[in-house]
Amino acid sequence: MPYFDAASAAPLHPVARQALLASLDEGWADPARLYREGRRARMLLDAARETAADAVGCRPDELVFTSSGTRAVHTGVTGALAGRRRVGRHLIVSAVEHSSVLHSAEVHEQNGGTVTQVAVDRSGTVAPSAYAEALRQDTALACLQSANHEVGTEQPVAEVAALCREAGVPLLVDAAQSLGWGPVEGNWSLLTASAHKWGGPSGVGLLAVRKGVRFAPQGPVDERESGRAAGFENLPAIVAAAASLRAVRAEAVQEAARLRELTERIRVRVPELVPDVEVVGDPVRRLPGIVTFSCLYVDGETLLHELDREGFSVSSGSSCTSSTLTPSHVLKAMGVLSEGNVRVSLPAGTAEADVERFLEVLPGTVAAVREKLGAPAAETVVRDDALVVDSLGKRCPIPVIELAKVIGQVPVGGLVRVLSDDEAARLDIPAWCEMRGQEYVGEEPADRGTAYLVRRVS
Amino acid sequence: MPYFDAASAAPLHPVARQALLASLDEGWADPARLYREGRRARMLLDAARETAADAVGCRPDELVFTSSGTRAVHTGVTGALAGRRRVGRHLIVSAVEHSSVLHSAEVHEQNGGTVTQVAVDRSGTVAPSAYAEALRQDTALACLQSANHEVGTEQPVAEVAALCREAGVPLLVDAAQSLGWGPVEGNWSLLTASAHKWGGPSGVGLLAVRKGVRFAPQGPVDERESGRAAGFENLPAIVAAAASLRAVRAEAVQEAARLRELTERIRVRVPELVPDVEVVGDPVRRLPGIVTFSCLYVDGETLLHELDREGFSVSSGSSCTSSTLTPSHVLKAMGVLSEGNVRVSLPAGTAEADVERFLEVLPGTVAAVREKLGAPAAETVVRDDALVVDSLGKRCPIPVIELAKVIGQVPVGGLVRVLSDDEAARLDIPAWCEMRGQEYVGEEPADRGTAYLVRRVS
């Protein structure tokens, strides 16, 4: 049963399993104690720290273990902001950061700080020049992910780090998606990561803070992990995390090349096999194992459900697939289609045959979902000079389906006005226009919901 | 090799180990995902929550899993204080709470809140009436441990909970030391615990918040664990924590009786076997597995080292045994001797023979340490009407040893003035006076350090 959601959580690496088992017996005691069980635990902890620091490219005393990648980000961002409180309270983040970074930024704003969100292009990449422009006298911290978790796009971290260093501003790099593949290049100041993304166990994150970076942990602390991660160390899992990081690194070059070939196959063949698909994310500067595409006229939740029935576990940034009703902030920031969105993220060791079977199964699955949604009765009336599509109360992808059905009914140069109260329409109607070569005129408030205006060009 | 420090961390229970292994295969995926691996993880998480809630005595939707007991306390205290911000900013804690509670209180004070520390008696017990007196109009939260982690004394939680409820103030109970033995009695509002204290794995804490208790989590959060514990769930460990809690509870009554007999043996026989020992903590209302005593004229670190060489792992609240230079705040609050302090905390399953061997080994070990410290040259001069002992620059237990050596040199009714700059002397000299039936007159500032005045009574 192929599991294609490694970007969410990777299955446990065999080395992680072995190390975890071994350290359950040796590493359960308090490493702060002086008796033999404590000393043994301390030795395991020290060794794990050295291994992880080596993989990160920092000194062991610059690295602490946290209880998750999210916790590492929360602690890293708030600690760095507090450490530079005197300089100012301005924070820079990219628009496509992980939610843990964006949540930290929200809290910072609620507490009176200011935040600049740096935009990305259609591939999901930030421009280093945009970071240069965002840097101010009162900038306390900048954050940039090493690579995006939803579309796999790699960011120009080294360039941004150099610009930040020139300005005397620390850069925090969320390396959750990339650390298993290699160290983060460039002169970063803080780095965070999450073990279960590389095949380590859950319950372990990394936070590296370079010597010389001002850092003031917030909230209650204790004496553990240099006062940067309170609570008893999750030791067997820490040992497993470090051991598996070393193991995946040893296989990284070869496995990256193999997965890159497999995801390239998906990138190329999905648009050939499935009509009306947009593959998103940078085609070249990208992580080896992630490929993301969006299918017009498809409801993401149904598609995921059908793929799950066929044995494929994938995720989606569509608004209709999770507890949230808004589409992925990443797809939104990129301005690409969110409907029928599918993220395939291959774990290390994915069999070629599984990818081939996915490519076999996908076209029929998409076609079936499209057929099911096929012919919703669109109530259309011509008002003023525009054809009005009333999609109020209907969820994605219905508004776009109805738009697509009526666009041929207006003459070239004519307008279609789509009424919708689904947040996803704001993203998907312009994205559809871009894909279809129609002109997106803009939106305006309606009595209920929003009216999206589209002019037929061809 | 007998490990007698279960109060710090208990060895992994066999059921925890089994459950951890089983859920490594079944429970690594994201429980928020809709595909089969995610659904499986969600089922495991839900089942673990039901098991743990059953043991705690709350509803499953009142309980979240945190990354440690410390984290549960930090989140619980700050969330409850913020939830009742409008009522006021007064916090009540006992003087013998775990450091995680006291650290939270310190941060609260730094942020402008007020804190009342409720004193304990010589057995380490709080008086419910003292909580009643501490409750104010603006009290947002009260905290009381179910039982003390250093001396094992059980607190009158049900009485204090009733008083708090009458006043409309929520009570947070830190049940880290007792939850494995049974649910916390009484009408508490919030409860915290830590899995590795009952033989579960590290990396898992519990936070229960009763419905109706105002609670506002602070800092960045995410959608996991009802917004009360951010970051990917430490699932295999959570499953192991819940399974082992159920397992230890099934054995609790029988094992408690057995351990209680063993600790009673230590309580009774140590003072018979070793001269100048004070057994501390309530003799009746106490945890089954913990017994604590202090040995006069002994340096705690050396004693622990010698016991470790004999194969016994114990801990100590003496100032000379850890990275800190101040003696345990618990012993200090109780006003008992801190020098030569030893905490024996027996894990479930401790063999009677190991306890017997400990009792065999202890007298010789203490005697050897005493002999080593034996006869420091005390410089004594008579100034005014007092014999002056200059212990400046000397660390515990030297000041008390020197006091003991000269007390016979002054007539009954005469004074000894001990000069010391060791923080432990402030606790240990009065405690020695109480043990020896001498009168502790008081302290006064000296040119260097502090002068402690003792009057010879007998």
Side-chain angles (χ1 to χ4, degrees):
Chain A
M1 303 289 274
Y3 173 81
F4 286 175
D5 197 21
S8 174
L12 202 64
H13 193 282
V15 166
R17 194 186 167 88
Q18 283 164 23
L20 188 63
L21 289 189
S23 53
L24 284 179
D25 298 327
E26 296 285 316
W28 50 269
D30 185 346
R33 298 290 175 183
L34 301 175
Y35 44 68
R36 97 200 75 90
E37 294 87 351
R39 295 193 304 267
R40 222 151 52 191
R42 166 66 51 192
M43 280 172 58
L44 288 173
L45 182 58
D46 290 347
R49 198 183 313 279
E50 277 180 32
T51 301
D54 187 51
V56 167
C58 67
R59 290 165 32 173
D61 60 353
E62 294 174 329
L63 183 123
V64 300
F65 295 104
T66 66
S67 58
S68 67
T70 290
R71 181 62 69 185
V73 166
H74 291 174
T75 303
V77 172
T78 54
L81 285 170
R84 283 176 47 89
R85 182 79 172 74
R86 286 191 194 172
V87 172
R89 304 195 65 193
H90 179 236
L91 169 66
I92 304 172
V93 299
S94 89
V96 295
E97 295 299 311
H98 186 261
S99 56
S100 57
V101 174
L102 298 181
H103 289 152
S104 301
E106 279 166 29
V107 168
H108 182 60
E109 263 186 324
Q110 282 160 18
N111 293 337
T114 54
V115 176
T116 299
Q117 266 204 14
V118 172
V120 295
D121 63 19
R122 227 180 134 75
S123 78
T125 316
V126 302
S129 60
Y131 268 77
E133 278 163 39
L135 285 162
R136 308 192 318 209
Q137 281 291 330
D138 66 337
T139 303
L141 177 69
C143 299
L144 178 61
Q145 63 195 187
S146 56
N148 186 268
H149 50 297
E150 287 193 31
V151 299
T153 298
E154 290 176 340
Q155 302 293 355
V157 169
E159 294 93 313
V160 171
L163 290 166
C164 288
R165 187 145 295 235
E166 212 169 287
V169 170
L171 178 71
L172 181 149
V173 178
D174 167 15
Q177 289 296 336
S178 75
L179 196 67
W181 298 114
V184 173
E185 304 289 329
N187 232 330
W188 49 266
S189 298
L190 301 100
L191 182 144
T192 61
S194 172
H196 74 109
K197 305 288 189 191
W198 70 64
S202 55
V204 182
L206 305 183
L207 170 61
V209 182
R210 292 267 192 221
K211 286 287 156 204
V213 174
R214 285 184 190 278
F215 194 81
Q218 297 301 288
V221 293
D222 61 19
E223 75 287 358
R224 296 182 188 276
E225 294 298 293
S226 312
R228 290 176 183 172
F232 195 85
E233 289 92 346
N234 188 6
L235 193 48
I238 286 172
V239 172
S244 55
L245 180 54
R246 175 152 54 187
V248 298
R249 279 293 186 79
E251 306 151 355
V253 172
Q254 211 174 341
E255 187 61 16
R258 208 179 66 81
L259 291 189
R260 197 172 282 280
E261 195 279 316
L262 293 177
T263 48
E264 186 59 26
R265 225 183 270 195
I266 296 173
R267 288 188 70 86
V268 171
R269 286 179 52 200
V270 164
E272 294 168 0
L273 295 166
V274 182
D276 298 323
V277 159
E278 182 177 13
V279 178
V280 299
D282 195 286
V284 180
R285 285 184 62 126
R286 61 183 178 85
L287 290 170
I290 299 184
V291 53
T292 304
F293 53 87
S294 298
C295 310
L296 266 180
Y297 320 135
V298 164
D299 149 31
E301 180 158 1
T302 309
L303 181 55
L304 257 56
H305 182 67
E306 294 301 322
L307 285 171
D308 179 49
R309 283 180 48 173
E310 296 285 345
F312 294 96
S313 301
V314 297
S315 81
S316 169
S318 293
S319 61
C320 355
T321 50
S322 63
S323 49
T324 164
L325 284 177
T326 51
S328 140
H329 69 274
V330 172
L331 301 177
K332 210 163 157 179
M334 293 166 66
V336 297
L337 189 73
S338 82
E339 69 181 39
N341 179 262
V342 172
R343 176 185 70 183
V344 172
S345 56
L346 307 178
T350 296
E352 182 184 356
D354 287 339
V355 171
E356 282 301 324
R357 205 170 75 73
F358 176 76
L359 290 170
E360 271 166 40
V361 160
L362 184 71
T365 310
V366 172
V369 174
R370 280 178 178 163
E371 200 184 321
K372 212 188 289 182
L373 292 170
E379 282 181 39
T380 61
V381 291
V382 177
R383 200 183 72 187
D384 301 334
D385 57 344
L387 182 71
V388 177
V389 179
D390 182 354
S391 291
L392 291 167
K394 293 175 185 161
R395 295 272 302 285
C396 89
I398 302 298
V400 171
I401 291 180
E402 294 185 342
L403 166 62
K405 285 170 120 176
V406 303
I407 191 81
Q409 296 176 22
V410 300
V412 170
L415 280 175
V416 178
R417 180 189 300 264
V418 184
L419 298 173
S420 172
D421 48 12
D422 180 3
E423 184 59 27
R426 179 160 289 125
L427 177 55
D428 289 339
I429 290 174
W432 178 88
C433 292
E434 176 127 358
M435 285 175 78
R436 278 288 169 271
Q438 306 296 357
E439 184 194 347
Y440 178 63
V441 180
E443 64 168 80
E444 56 190 39
D447 288 348
R448 281 177 55 213
T450 304
Y452 299 91
L453 268 80
V454 175
R455 190 183 309 281
R456 181 174 172 192
V457 172
S458 57
Chain B
M1 303 290 271
Y3 172 82
F4 286 175
D5 196 22
S8 173
L12 201 65
H13 192 282
V15 167
R17 195 187 166 89
Q18 282 164 24
L20 187 64
L21 289 189
S23 53
L24 284 179
D25 297 327
E26 296 286 315
W28 51 269
D30 185 347
R33 298 290 175 183
L34 302 174
Y35 44 69
R36 98 200 73 91
E37 293 87 351
R39 295 194 303 268
R40 223 151 52 192
R42 165 65 53 190
M43 281 172 57
L44 288 173
L45 181 59
D46 289 347
R49 197 184 313 279
E50 277 179 31
T51 301
D54 187 52
V56 167
C58 66
R59 291 166 31 174
D61 62 351
E62 294 174 330
L63 184 124
V64 300
F65 294 105
T66 65
S67 58
S68 66
T70 291
R71 181 63 68 185
V73 167
H74 291 174
T75 302
V77 173
T78 55
L81 285 171
R84 284 174 49 87
R85 182 78 171 75
R86 286 188 194 173
V87 173
R89 304 196 65 193
H90 179 234
L91 169 67
I92 303 173
V93 299
S94 88
V96 295
E97 294 298 311
H98 185 262
S99 57
S100 56
V101 174
L102 298 182
H103 289 152
S104 300
E106 279 166 29
V107 168
H108 182 59
E109 264 187 322
Q110 282 159 18
N111 293 336
T114 54
V115 177
T116 298
Q117 267 204 13
V118 173
V120 295
D121 63 19
R122 227 181 134 76
S123 77
T125 315
V126 302
S129 60
Y131 268 77
E133 279 164 38
L135 284 163
R136 308 192 320 209
Q137 282 289 331
D138 65 339
T139 303
L141 178 69
C143 299
L144 179 60
Q145 63 194 186
S146 56
N148 186 267
H149 50 296
E150 287 192 31
V151 299
T153 298
E154 289 176 341
Q155 302 293 355
V157 169
E159 294 93 313
V160 171
L163 290 165
C164 287
R165 186 146 297 234
E166 212 169 287
V169 171
L171 178 71
L172 181 149
V173 178
D174 167 15
Q177 289 297 336
S178 74
L179 196 67
W181 297 113
V184 172
E185 303 290 328
N187 232 330
W188 50 265
S189 298
L190 301 100
L191 182 144
T192 60
S194 171
H196 74 108
K197 305 287 190 193
W198 69 65
S202 56
V204 182
L206 305 183
L207 169 62
V209 182
R210 292 268 192 222
K211 286 287 156 203
V213 174
R214 286 183 189 278
F215 195 82
Q218 297 302 287
V221 292
D222 60 20
E223 75 288 357
R224 296 182 188 274
E225 293 297 292
S226 311
R228 291 176 182 172
F232 195 85
E233 289 92 347
N234 189 7
L235 192 48
I238 285 172
V239 172
S244 55
L245 179 55
R246 173 151 57 188
V248 298
R249 278 293 186 79
E251 306 152 355
V253 172
Q254 210 174 344
E255 187 62 14
R258 209 179 65 80
L259 291 189
R260 196 171 283 280
E261 195 278 316
L262 293 178
T263 48
E264 186 60 26
R265 223 181 272 195
I266 296 173
R267 288 188 71 85
V268 171
R269 286 181 50 200
V270 164
E272 294 168 1
L273 295 166
V274 182
D276 298 323
V277 158
E278 182 177 16
V279 177
V280 300
D282 195 285
V284 179
R285 286 184 60 126
R286 62 182 177 86
L287 290 170
I290 299 185
V291 52
T292 304
F293 53 86
S294 298
C295 310
L296 267 180
Y297 320 136
V298 165
D299 149 30
E301 180 160 0
T302 309
L303 181 55
L304 257 56
H305 181 67
E306 293 302 321
L307 286 171
D308 179 48
R309 283 180 49 173
E310 295 285 345
F312 293 96
S313 300
V314 297
S315 82
S316 168
S318 294
S319 61
C320 356
T321 52
S322 62
S323 48
T324 162
L325 285 178
T326 52
S328 141
H329 69 274
V330 172
L331 302 177
K332 208 163 158 180
M334 293 165 67
V336 298
L337 190 72
S338 81
E339 69 181 39
N341 179 261
V342 173
R343 175 184 70 184
V344 172
S345 56
L346 307 178
T350 295
E352 182 184 356
D354 286 339
V355 171
E356 282 301 325
R357 207 171 74 73
F358 177 75
L359 289 170
E360 271 166 40
V361 161
L362 185 70
T365 311
V366 172
V369 175
R370 281 177 176 162
E371 198 183 323
K372 213 189 287 182
L373 293 170
E379 282 180 40
T380 61
V381 290
V382 177
R383 201 184 72 186
D384 303 333
D385 58 342
L387 183 69
V388 177
V389 179
D390 182 355
S391 290
L392 290 168
K394 293 176 186 162
R395 294 273 301 285
C396 88
I398 302 300
V400 172
I401 291 179
E402 294 184 341
L403 166 62
K405 286 170 119 178
V406 302
I407 192 80
Q409 298 176 22
V410 298
V412 169
L415 279 176
V416 178
R417 179 191 300 264
V418 184
L419 297 175
S420 172
D421 48 11
D422 181 1
E423 183 58 28
R426 178 161 290 126
L427 177 56
D428 289 339
I429 290 173
W432 177 88
C433 293
E434 176 127 359
M435 286 175 76
R436 278 288 169 269
Q438 307 295 356
E439 183 194 348
Y440 177 64
V441 180
E443 64 168 80
E444 55 189 40
D447 289 349
R448 279 175 56 211
T450 304
Y452 300 92
L453 267 81
V454 176
R455 190 183 310 280
R456 182 174 171 190
V457 173
S458 58

